Amino acid sequence: MKKLGSVALAAAIGLGGSLFQPVAAEAATTLPSLVAYVRGGDVYVSKGATEKRLTTGGGHARPRWSPNGQQLAYLKNGRLWTMKADGTAQRRLTTRPAAGPSWSPDGRWIAFASLSCSGGPGVYRIAAGAAAAKPEVLFPRDCRTEPMPAEPTAITKATGSLNERLRTDDAVAWSPDGTRVAFRGGDCESVYDSCLTIGTVAGGDEKTVAAYGGGSLQNSGFAVVPSWRADGAKLSWTAYQEGETPAESKPVHVIEYDTATGAKRTVGSAMDRELAYIDSARAVITSQTNGGSWVTLLGLATGARTPIRTGSQPSVQPLPR
């Protein structure tokens, strides 16, 4: 196989694929529940040793488990769909372009990102089980009383390097207690070049938890693809930073944020992204391993890592309570 340079490699890997498709090496680790992930534009599920393909035809992204572990929300050609855990009963929920879905903890709603009345990314929710449901605005708060913007006739697909694709990823994450949603952008974009927000669902208040460029910040970068731990005590996201000096610059990496103290730490290794928690001690991430994107088990305290399957965009099926 021809050896690729780092730029070509990143472009070949992208957000949804692997250089080695579609067969993954058998994993030695068995996970406690299914992990959904994307390879070659289709959704798969696996506990480690075997895997099942749920979709065909490509164009699929960002699968997210329902709270009861019986359904998946996902994107198909830039629209929001749901299906059962075995891949049956696939159903489109939106004609409006959507990004990065997340279920409310009671399973009644699915939050997603789409164009807002302000012209930037906004957050909506739609009833998960209702037929012909209409989206409702969550953020920005001021858009709640405004007409929805017209639906674009075409979806602009992010292209370029891995960094360029991640930079505009609008995946959202609903908090485990149902009171907040984490999302890229928000009111903070009036100050910073790029930012990540935690918004309060009830009142629409926003809190900036990561910011790059603008204000007094002499850096650039992004914070995207947020993910809550099941107890709500931690929030992680995928980040990238270009500082004033090489020492202040960081390639793609994962930040874990303490929601009580505001403390931040880097977990995993360079080029890790898209963390999804299993429990307080373990998570799955997308890592750059063996020349491609792998869903990888990560010990959050020890840093121990075990590649599971080729793919990316993992989501962990909740265990029955």
Side-chain angles (χ1 to χ4, degrees), residues 138-142 144 179-180 187 199-206:
L138 292 180
F139 305 98
R141 173 174 52 194
D142 292 346
R144 294 183 179 186
T179 64
R180 296 161 292 171
D187 292 342
T200 302
V201 174
D205 299 329
E206 297 185 13

Side-chain angles (χ1 to χ4, degrees), residues 111-126:
F112 65 95
S114 191
L115 181 70
S116 75
C117 74
S118 66
V123 180
Y124 296 78
R125 71 176 183 180
I126 192 168

Side-chain angles (χ1 to χ4, degrees), residues 61-281:
R62 293 277 171 235
R64 291 293 181 265
W65 287 103
S66 63
N68 63 9
Q70 297 178 9
Q71 295 185 79
L72 284 159
Y74 62 101
L75 305 178
K76 180 179 179 181
N77 297 324
R79 268 71 179 184
L80 176 62
W81 288 61
T82 60
M83 62 181 166
K84 291 184 178 180
D86 61 1
T88 62
Q90 297 180 8
R91 182 170 67 99
R92 189 179 71 180
L93 293 188
T94 68
T95 56
R96 175 177 297 277
S102 181
W103 297 77
S104 64
D106 61 9
R108 294 179 55 208
W109 303 93
I110 300 174
F112 65 95
S114 191
L115 181 70
S116 75
C117 74
S118 66
V123 180
Y124 296 78
R125 71 176 183 180
I126 192 168
K134 293 184 178 181
E136 301 175 8
V137 178
L138 292 180
F139 305 98
R141 173 174 52 194
D142 292 346
C143 289
R144 294 183 179 186
T145 56
E146 298 294 325
M148 285 191 187
E151 297 182 8
T153 56
I155 296 175
T156 302
K157 187 176 181 180
T159 59
S161 69
L162 173 63
N163 283 3
E164 290 168 331
R165 285 195 281 268
L166 280 171
R167 185 181 297 275
T168 55
D169 193 301
D170 287 328
V172 305
W174 210 314
S175 69
D177 63 4
T179 64
R180 296 161 292 171
V181 175
F183 57 96
R184 183 182 78 88
D187 292 342
C188 52
E189 287 191 329
S190 64
V191 178
Y192 304 108
D193 297 334
S194 179
C195 53
L196 187 76
T197 293
I198 295 176
T200 302
V201 174
D205 299 329
E206 297 185 13
K207 177 182 179 181
T208 304
V209 293
Y212 300 85
S216 61
L217 299 178
Q218 304 300 315
N219 63 0
S220 63
F222 55 78
V224 295
V225 195
S227 174
W228 297 88
R229 203 170 75 180
D231 59 4
K234 304 288 186 182
L235 175 72
S236 74
W237 59 78
T238 299
Y240 171 80
Q241 178 171 302
E242 292 182 14
E244 289 188 280
T245 67
E248 296 173 322
S249 297
K250 296 181 180 179
V252 170
H253 59 288
V254 174
I255 294 290
E256 187 177 61
Y257 170 81
D258 188 301
T259 58
T261 67
K264 299 176 183 178
R265 71 180 186 114
T266 299
V267 298
S269 302
M271 302 307 295
D272 287 348
R273 58 193 189 273
E274 303 168 335
L275 183 145
Y277 289 97
I278 296 175
D279 49 36
S280 61

Side-chain angles (χ1 to χ4, degrees), residues 6-23:
S6 59
V7 174
L9 178 64
I13 294 169
L15 281 175
S18 166
L19 292 176
F20 307 99
Q21 297 179 34
V23 179

Side-chain angles (χ1 to χ4, degrees), residues 24-77:
E26 182 174 322
T29 298
T30 299
L31 301 171
S33 63
L34 290 170
V35 173
Y37 52 95
V38 174
R39 184 171 68 240
D42 280 305
V43 178
Y44 294 75
V45 292
S46 177
K47 283 188 176 181
T50 61
E51 68 177 10
K52 179 179 180 180
R53 185 174 184 168
L54 301 187
T55 68
T56 60
H60 302 85
R62 293 277 171 235
R64 291 293 181 265
W65 287 103
S66 63
N68 63 9
Q70 297 178 9
Q71 295 185 79
L72 284 159
Y74 62 101
L75 305 178
K76 180 179 179 181
N77 297 324

